[in-house]
Amino acid sequence: MTTPSANTVVLIHGLWMTPLAWEHWVERYEARGFTVLTPGYPGIGQGEAGLKELRANPDAVAGVGVREVMDHLTDYISQLDTAPVIMGHSFGGTFAQLLVGNGLGTAGVSIDGAAVKGINVQPLSEVRSVLPVLDNPLNISKASVLTPEQFHYAFTNAQDDAVAQHAYDRYSAPTPAKVLFQGGFAAVTPHASTTFNFADDDRAPLLFISGGSDHILPPVIQDHNYKKNAKHSTAIAAHKVFPGRDHYTCGEPGWEAVADFALDWALAPVAGELS
């Protein structure tokens, strides 16, 4: 059994990323005196070494689905001595929301998060970003890798070529396509792994952060998620949009403002659409 704490932060990476993507956030939060943990999905290791191993052996994540990741993260967090703040980016934000919905964490922050079941919004830019994976059902048991051009459109569309290429070279990784399929087809899947109880009054506070220029997961997705939570539950829900930021919002220039806002809110949550 964990006890509440304001001293531990768990950061969950998204698809096509590894824990290395949080390197600057870890340094910033540790400088504020926090213990920062960055669990990877099953088959994904830490740091530059973990990314190198995954790039050399993409099959390490082939066939990994939402349930496998959730079981792994649940076990990881449940073994902590204190209940942490749980933050995630992209599908990591989805995992953060689901973990909070399962009673874990003192607060949850979903940054550019993918939709849980019940959020049936699919902008054209999202479709274009994920179509290279979802257009072939045989991809479900494979690892997916983005080309530099696909990464630039989906992640770094608001960045110049130099920033986009650096982000791709530094962070882009093979990802388990099964997670993408399970999230994308949750609406037509009974008992989908991304099912979330929007009417849970007892869950921890939940913040949705959007990049205003995000292609793969535009603000409308987080806005619908926030509003459905706010409508059906008395638990704290909030939404914050950072104009002009793309899906690489955790690493692009100015990431510090996003990191500070997320942590400051988690320590003193307030509800509503935040300015």
Side-chain angles (χ1 to χ4, degrees):
M1 175 88 54
T2 59
T3 56
S5 172
N7 297 320
T8 302
V9 180
V10 172
L11 301 174
I12 305 170
H13 65 85
L15 301 182
W16 294 292
M17 290 284 169
T18 72
L20 181 63
W22 293 112
E23 58 181 334
H24 301 305
W25 289 51
V26 171
E27 292 177 358
R28 193 167 185 85
Y29 286 176
E30 287 181 343
R32 291 180 60 173
F34 291 85
T35 297
V36 188
L37 306 171
T38 58
Y41 303 169
I44 300 180
Q46 294 291 318
E48 294 180 357
L51 176 57
K52 183 177 180 180
E53 291 172 5
L54 182 58
R55 285 174 172 172
N57 180 28
D59 286 344
V61 295
V64 173
V66 172
R67 180 49 50 203
E68 289 80 8
V69 179
M70 280 294 294
D71 287 347
H72 176 72
L73 293 173
T74 298
D75 181 64
Y76 182 94
I77 293 172
S78 297
Q79 293 187 44
L80 300 178
D81 293 333
T82 57
V85 171
I86 304 174
M87 298 185 190
H89 173 250
S90 194
F91 219 102
T94 311
F95 289 128
Q97 180 178 355
L98 294 172
L99 290 164
V100 165
N102 288 343
L104 296 173
T106 59
V109 181
S110 174
I111 305 165
D112 300 334
V116 295
K117 183 171 183 177
I119 305 301
N120 302 317
V121 183
Q122 200 167 46
L124 288 176
S125 62
E126 179 188 5
V127 174
R128 177 178 169 183
S129 297
V130 301
L131 191 60
V133 180
L134 299 184
D135 68 346
N136 185 352
L138 295 178
N139 288 336
I140 192 171
S141 60
K142 300 179 180 179
S144 167
V145 179
L146 296 178
T147 66
E149 293 76 19
Q150 291 167 339
F151 185 89
H152 196 172
Y153 180 83
F155 276 79
T156 54
N157 55 283
Q159 310 307 308
D160 62 30
D161 290 344
V163 172
Q165 189 63 48
H166 173 76
Y168 182 83
D169 293 340
R170 179 68 176 165
Y171 301 118
S172 180
T175 206
K178 187 175 181 180
V179 173
L180 196 61
F181 274 89
Q182 290 177 323
F185 294 101
V188 295
T189 304
H191 311 296
S193 299
T194 57
T195 299
F196 178 80
N197 180 13
F198 294 94
D200 182 2
D201 294 333
D202 297 322
R203 64 157 174 78
L206 189 57
L207 169 65
F208 299 94
I209 291 179
S210 301
S213 297
D214 191 337
H215 269 174
I216 190 170
L217 292 167
V220 65
I221 298 172
Q222 287 75 242
D223 183 61
H224 278 236
N225 207 336
Y226 154 68
K227 287 178 177 175
K228 193 162 186 176
N229 274 278
K231 178 179 179 180
H232 295 285
S233 172
T234 59
I236 291 176
H239 184 209
K240 166 70 173 178
V241 178
F242 283 86
R245 302 190 70 79
D246 54 29
H247 200 60
Y248 185 48
T249 191
C250 296
E252 70 181 86
W255 62 267
E256 297 91 342
V258 182
D260 291 347
F261 186 93
L263 184 55
D264 290 343
W265 181 92
L267 300 176
V270 293
E273 298 191 47
L274 308 178
S275 60

